[in-house]
Amino acid sequence: MRFECQPGCTKCCEQQGFVYLTEKDIPRLADYLGMPVLAFEKRYVYRTRRLRRLRVPRHAQCEFLRDGGCSVHAAKPFQCATFPFWPELVGNTKNWRKAGDWCPGVGKGELVQIESARATAAQMRAAHPHLYEN
C-alpha cells in the first residue's frame, strides 16, 4: 500500500458521509477554536446514545473546510487523521482502489507497511465500534 497526502488536496473532506467524533475529539476541537466544550457541542455536534458526529452544514460537506483546506487541521478529528487507513479500506483491494478513484494520494509516496496500516485501522475500529458492528 502506498499513500501520501497531496499538497492542497481536500478530496477526502468533500466526500459524502459523516465525520464521527471520539470523546477526546470534542474537547480538543473546542479548545482549538477557543470555545467552551458545551458551546462547541451545541453548535457543531450531533449526538445520539451511540454516536457523536459533526453536523453537516447546508453549504458544504464539512463546517471546517475552507478554500485553503481544513481550518482545524492541527486538531482534526481522529477519523480524519487516520484516513485512508480505515477498516473498510485496509485489506480490501476493491475498496482501496475505489478510494483511489477520487483520492490522489492513494498509490503515491512511500510504501506503507501493512502491519502499520492494520494497526491504524484497529485504532479506528476501537474508537468507533458502533460503525463496525456485524
Side-chain angles (χ1 to χ4, degrees), residues 2-16:
R2 293 183 188 278
F3 175 75
E4 182 177 62
C5 278
Q6 301 300 295
C9 179
T10 58
K11 296 292 183 185
C12 54
C13 305
E14 298 165 9
Q15 298 305 302
Q16 201 68 20

Side-chain angles (χ1 to χ4, degrees), residues 2 33 51 72 111 123:
R2 293 183 188 278
L33 294 171
L51 62 83
V72 296
L111 187 64
Q123 291 174 332

Side-chain angles (χ1 to χ4, degrees), residues 55-99:
R55 294 179 186 274
V56 179
R58 293 177 197 249
H59 65 280
Q61 183 59 31
C62 178
E63 184 72 37
F64 302 112
L65 182 59
R66 305 287 187 268
D67 286 340
C70 176
S71 65
V72 296
H73 184 79
K76 65 185 170 184
F78 183 72
Q79 177 182 339
C80 302
T82 60
F83 180 82
F85 304 113
W86 296 347
E88 61 270 29
L89 299 177
V90 172
N92 185 316
T93 304
K94 179 182 173 186
N95 287 349
W96 183 258
R97 285 187 182 140
K98 190 174 178 181

